[in-house]
Amino acid sequence: MSQDLKSKLVDAALAHVAFDGWSPATFEAAVADSGVDPVVARAICPRGAVDLAVAFHEAGDAAMVAALEDADLAEMRFRDKVVYAVRKRLEPCPDKEAVRRGSTLFALPHYAPTGTRLIWGTADAIWNALGDTSRDFNWYTKRTTLSGVYAATVLFWLGDESEGHADTWAFLDRRIENVMQFEKAKGAFQKSSLGKALERPLSSLGRMRAPKTASGFPGRWR
């Protein structure tokens, strides 16, 4: 019930975000336009419009996961699956300005931890939807790397005016290619004499385990 009301508030807020950002003014307007009781609205969104911005981002993640579940990814290379997932996260976005305003909000020092958590959550959702089964140190490196790729792609996408965002997708392809090259270099390093010499000192990383909870952050040591 509370999630339905929050979705109702988000929908009402989008008409105001372009003018007032994810601000108290937007929250008040969303409450008035949606007809949600102000006391209830404040109870489900104690931080006001900040919580609506979080809900807007998480709704985008949920829509992406649904799109991936419906897609036939079997014949795709893995790198193409990742590209497809990021595109499905951005292409259906109903309001680029809402994303721009959210990026500005979560760049503020006191909201930066929330923004970091949201980007990590998107990367985690992508890896989970693509069937990632890693539970060790690789669980962290995969999500850290994809978080960086996703964040950079969003910033490029926000300023992209090319037809069909073609420049953004080319940028994304290049970033994924960089990641693939890094993975190849990492594999070569592990096989090198220096990599083998450092194998024992770095073995402690093998004790890292992914978190048990669905929050996906920050994890634990075994």
Side-chain angles (χ1 to χ4, degrees):
M1 179 65 175
S2 63
Q3 194 60 43
D4 291 340
L5 291 177
K6 189 177 289 187
S7 296
K8 193 174 182 180
L9 286 166
V10 171
D11 290 342
L14 290 176
H16 302 276
V17 170
F19 304 99
D20 297 316
W22 295 99
S23 66
T26 290
F27 184 73
E28 291 174 9
V31 172
D33 292 352
S34 66
V36 175
D37 184 282
V39 175
V40 174
R42 184 58 67 176
I44 61 178
C45 297
R47 294 184 296 174
V50 176
D51 288 325
L52 293 185
V54 169
F56 175 72
H57 182 98
E58 292 176 341
D61 285 350
M64 172 196 67
V65 170
L68 292 177
E69 289 175 348
D70 291 339
D72 183 7
L73 307 178
E75 300 303 319
M76 289 188 188
R77 295 179 302 170
F78 197 83
R79 59 159 290 162
D80 294 334
K81 293 179 183 179
V82 176
V83 169
Y84 182 84
V86 174
R87 290 188 62 155
K88 285 301 175 183
R89 180 60 181 82
L90 294 178
E91 284 178 331
C93 182
D95 191 337
K96 183 184 279 194
E97 189 58 30
V99 177
R100 191 190 315 278
R101 293 291 192 137
S103 297
T104 301
L105 174 71
F106 294 123
L108 297 174
H110 48 299
Y111 293 131
T114 300
T116 300
R117 179 181 64 79
L118 291 174
I119 292 174
W120 179 276
T122 299
D124 185 49
I126 291 174
W127 278 114
N128 290 338
L130 296 183
D132 177 45
T133 58
S134 64
R135 303 301 295 167
D136 56 6
F137 183 63
N138 287 319
W139 187 92
Y140 292 89
T141 59
K142 287 178 178 180
R143 283 152 181 79
T144 300
T145 302
L146 185 54
S147 291
V149 169
Y150 176 74
T153 303
V154 169
L155 291 177
F156 192 98
W157 172 76
L158 287 173
D160 184 12
E161 297 181 356
S162 63
E163 184 175 353
H165 293 103
D167 290 348
T168 295
W169 313 136
F171 176 86
L172 173 59
D173 282 335
R174 293 194 297 273
R175 298 292 74 77
I176 295 297
E177 181 59 30
N178 291 155
V179 171
M180 300 305 292
Q181 290 173 354
F182 172 76
E183 289 299 320
K184 290 178 182 178
K186 185 174 71 173
F189 172 77
Q190 291 172 337
K191 295 177 182 178
S192 69
S193 56
L194 179 58
K196 291 178 180 177
L198 293 174
E199 183 175 358
R200 223 170 153 180
L202 294 177
S203 62
S204 60
L205 294 176
R207 292 158 48 201
M208 291 186 72
R209 287 295 178 267
K212 289 182 177 179
T213 63
S215 65
F217 196 81
R220 66 186 177 89
W221 287 79
R222 184 174 65 180

